[in-house]
Amino acid sequence: MSVETVKEYFKSIRFRIWLSFVVFSLGTVALMLFFQLFFTPVFYSLSKTNEYKSCADAIKMWIGSEDWNPYSIDSVNGLRNRIVKLAQSNQLDIIINLPDVNNGTIYASKSGGNDLLVKEVGDNIKSALEEAKDNTIITKTDDNDNDAEGIILATFAKKNDKVLAYIFIFGYTEPIGTTLNIINALSFICSNVVLVAACIISIMISSHIANPLVKISRNVDRLITGDFHMEIRKTEYDEIATLTKNLNAASEEINKTEALRKDLMANVSHDLRTPLTMIKAYAEMIRDLSGNNPEKREKHLQVIIDEADRLTLLVSDILNLSKLESGVMPIERSGFDFSEVLKGIISRFSLLDDMKDYQVRLEAEDGISVNADQQKIEQVVYNLVNNAINYIGDDKLVTVRLFRKNSGTARFEVADRGIGIPAEQLPYIWDRYYKIDRSENYKRSVKGTGLGLSIVKGILTSHGFLFGCDSILGEGSVFWFEFDIFGSQQGKIPKRKEGRSSENTGL
């Protein structure tokens, strides 16, 4: 394994996840041991102190009650019984000194520290209680005879500023050193087990998370090299699943774009090569054969002119489409009578009625105006009508309609009764050079450039008009767009919607 490979591994997400998990586990174990070693004795001492305070509060409550009478034998015996039970249950030595009663000392022992407690109890402690916080003194002391540490709590019960009793509580803090050593040893063993388990689990988790990302990275490398046919398997992690879904979608779109690019290049090459071939062939025929024959020469020259016009149209369409898609072609809006403009356009198609038995019929309501770029809207009309003629039905009829949908909106339609378009292919008809089918019935007309509908889409999109195509297979198609009637106060501006396609029950 090379040094570079090791460096790359240390930078990988798999190693980083593993290291983060191990460091977190190690930090957690270290923090637990730290608290155990340094805070357990302190916590134990505080717990014992609170235990003594609770016992002292209970004794104060008993002495401060209305039933307490230091001169009553029954009352004193009742207090003594309670103190004995309290001392036995908590392993304590308790002394209660009644200042108003001669030899008024109540004593209860369970811990065995009688002598030590007597030594510590003195007038100095009693006098210091008045100045102590909460009238309570807590002190630690060592019992050398028993080799143990003890805690003494001194306080008093008071009522109406009169001291009723002095309370002294003593108890040993049981040696916990041995217990701590055992606990520390067990904790060390458990910590090692936890760290080993953390390492194993972190390796599994890091691999589980990193493997999909590694596969995604490898597939992206394939994308870079031009292999767009990939399928990344989904995972249970939402973020990675979303990334996988987006990359799969991007791969599909790139694949479609690549296929479209190849198809575009093939079609453009064909459309350029065909007229150039024709121009060259007829130019050579004029040079070699028909140069001295005016009739043949005129016929051959006309072919050259037609093919040159076809080249000009193709180049013009490509340039216009590029400008529309890049947004550099300006839209110069102005209000004009669309009904009148449409009549002039359709009248120019009358030549087809005579030459090829085509009929372009206009059904337009008068007085419908639009605020748009007139030259570009005329191009839309030309492209839609020419497209309908290319795929015309046996009746040789193309119907152009313009009518009001409501008081503020108008609709333009170009309908043919041709073979129609399959529903699943409707969303793609606006793509440049898109071919519905390779069968003879669906071939694009040789006079078209294959860019007409793409240009229509670009112009209508830049105007913000609704547009689409409704088609039924075997019955025909209706291409349409909708717009606000210019000057109308009630029409709403339609939202832009590109390429809306739907099946309809009639044309």
Side-chain angles (χ1 to χ4, degrees):
M1 183 179 293
S2 65
V3 177
E4 293 298 327
T5 304
V6 174
K7 289 182 178 180
E8 289 180 1
Y9 177 76
F10 286 156
K11 293 180 181 179
S12 66
I13 188 172
R14 178 185 285 108
F15 176 77
R16 297 293 177 87
I17 293 174
W18 173 84
L19 183 63
S20 300
F21 199 86
V22 171
V23 170
F24 174 78
S25 301
L26 186 62
T28 302
V29 170
L31 189 63
M32 180 185 68
L33 292 176
F34 174 78
F35 277 98
Q36 179 178 305
L37 292 173
F38 294 97
F39 289 96
T40 298
V42 177
F43 179 76
Y44 176 76
S45 179
L46 289 175
S47 299
K48 297 296 290 185
T49 302
N50 290 331
E51 180 183 325
Y52 295 172
K53 287 182 178 180
S54 298
C55 293
D57 291 338
I59 295 172
K60 287 180 182 181
M61 183 182 66
W62 297 337
I63 295 176
S65 66
E66 298 294 334
D67 298 335
W68 168 249
N69 184 0
Y71 302 103
S72 169
I73 296 176
D74 293 338
S75 181
V76 173
N77 289 335
L79 178 61
R80 179 179 287 107
N81 293 334
R82 290 181 177 181
I83 292 174
V84 169
K85 292 180 180 179
L86 189 64
Q88 291 176 346
S89 62
N90 293 279
Q91 299 291 315
L92 300 174
D93 293 337
I94 301 175
I95 291 179
I96 299 178
N97 183 262
L98 306 176
D100 293 338
V101 181
N102 292 330
N103 297 321
T105 300
I106 303 173
Y107 177 76
S109 176
K110 183 63 180 175
S111 68
N114 307 359
D115 296 337
L116 179 63
L117 182 59
V118 172
K119 291 177 184 178
E120 295 291 342
V121 175
D123 293 336
N124 57 335
I125 295 180
K126 293 181 181 180
S127 60
L129 285 175
E130 293 290 342
E131 300 176 0
K133 182 180 179 181
D134 298 329
N135 303 126
T136 300
I137 294 177
I138 299 173
T139 182
K140 292 182 179 180
T141 184
D142 293 326
D143 185 353
N144 296 325
D145 296 335
N146 295 320
D147 190 23
E149 184 183 80
I151 296 177
I152 296 177
L153 182 146
T155 185
F156 58 79
K158 194 174 183 181
K159 188 175 182 180
N160 298 327
D161 295 329
K162 181 180 180 181
V163 177
L164 301 179
Y166 289 99
I167 304 168
F168 303 93
I169 300 176
F170 171 81
Y172 287 113
T173 56
E174 298 178 7
I176 61 172
T178 304
T179 304
L180 279 178
N181 290 335
I182 296 174
I183 294 175
N184 291 338
L186 290 174
S187 298
F188 181 76
I189 295 173
C190 292
S191 300
N192 289 331
V193 173
V194 168
L195 287 176
V196 172
C199 291
I200 296 174
I201 294 174
S202 62
I203 290 174
M204 296 172 61
I205 293 176
S206 62
S207 297
H208 195 61
I209 295 176
N211 285 342
L213 295 176
V214 172
K215 292 179 180 178
I216 290 174
S217 177
R218 290 173 181 170
N219 280 283
V220 171
D221 290 339
R222 290 171 54 192
L223 279 178
I224 296 174
T225 59
D227 182 3
F228 307 121
H229 299 84
M230 70 173 193
E231 181 66 28
I232 307 174
R233 295 171 62 183
K234 295 182 179 179
T235 67
E236 63 270 26
Y237 300 107
D238 288 344
E239 294 81 0
I240 299 179
T242 301
L243 177 61
T244 299
K245 178 181 177 182
N246 292 339
L247 282 176
N248 283 330
S251 175
E252 292 177 3
E253 290 302 318
I254 294 174
N255 191 33
K256 291 179 182 178
T257 303
E258 179 65 12
L260 180 61
R261 183 188 67 82
K262 292 178 180 179
D263 193 40
L264 176 64
M265 293 300 296
N267 282 288
V268 170
S269 299
H270 176 269
D271 285 344
L272 288 173
R273 184 172 61 249
T274 301
L276 287 173
T277 301
M278 296 285 288
I279 290 173
K280 180 181 179 181
Y282 277 90
E284 290 177 347
M285 290 175 65
I286 294 174
R287 182 193 64 190
D288 298 334
L289 301 176
S290 61
N292 298 323
N293 188 329
E295 183 179 352
K296 288 185 177 182
R297 183 176 65 245
E298 184 67 25
K299 183 179 180 181
H300 294 164
L301 286 173
Q302 187 60 47
V303 172
I304 293 175
I305 293 172
D306 291 342
E307 293 301 322
D309 290 341
R310 181 179 173 183
L311 276 176
T312 302
L313 177 62
L314 175 62
V315 173
S316 177
D317 282 351
I318 293 176
L319 289 175
N320 289 337
L321 183 59
S322 298
K323 290 180 180 179
L324 286 169
E325 291 181 343
S326 61
V328 299
M329 179 176 285
I331 301 297
E332 299 177 358
R333 292 179 180 266
S334 63
F336 62 92
D337 190 333
F338 192 22
S339 300
E340 291 299 320
V341 171
L342 194 57
K343 292 177 182 178
I345 295 174
I346 301 304
S347 66
R348 300 168 196 164
F349 285 92
S350 59
L351 180 62
L352 294 175
D353 298 346
D354 301 330
M355 295 178 60
K356 296 188 178 180
D357 197 26
Y358 293 154
Q359 182 182 0
V360 181
R361 185 171 63 195
L362 177 63
E363 300 175 0
E365 296 182 11
D366 294 330
I368 297 179
S369 298
V370 61
N371 183 26
D373 189 316
Q374 181 173 341
Q375 181 180 358
K376 292 181 175 58
I377 294 299
E378 288 182 1
Q379 186 176 4
V380 168
V381 174
Y382 274 113
N383 288 358
L384 291 179
V385 173
N386 283 326
N387 181 75
I389 292 174
N390 289 340
Y391 298 99
I392 202 167
D394 294 335
D395 58 359
K396 301 293 184 180
L397 175 64
V398 174
T399 304
V400 179
R401 304 186 186 97
L402 178 64
F403 57 92
R404 293 177 176 84
K405 284 191 65 177
N406 51 52
S407 58
T409 306
R411 181 180 176 107
F412 172 81
E413 294 181 351
V414 176
D416 66 75
R417 297 187 181 275
I419 53 180
I421 305 170
E424 65 273 10
Q425 299 191 32
L426 278 172
Y428 308 109
I429 60 176
W430 308 98
D431 297 340
R432 64 177 78 180
Y433 279 111
Y434 181 77
K435 295 181 180 180
I436 297 175
D437 194 273
R438 295 187 180 274
S439 64
E440 190 68 26
N441 290 334
Y442 288 89
K443 283 185 177 178
R444 180 167 47 84
S445 171
V446 294
K447 290 190 176 181
T449 63
L451 302 174
L453 292 183
S454 295
I455 294 174
V456 169
K457 173 185 174 181
I459 293 174
L460 295 179
T461 299
S462 62
H463 279 78
F465 291 168
L466 281 169
F467 64 94
C469 174
D470 303 326
S471 183
I472 298 178
L473 193 61
E475 296 186 17
S477 304
V478 177
F479 287 83
W480 56 268
F481 66 86
E482 296 177 357
F483 56 90
D484 278 351
I485 299 175
F486 183 63
S488 170
Q489 299 297 323
Q490 299 180 8
K492 294 182 179 180
I493 298 176
K495 296 180 181 179
R496 177 187 296 183
K497 187 172 183 180
E498 299 182 6
R500 191 181 81 177
S501 305
S502 62
E503 289 189 358
N504 208 328
T505 55
L507 299 175

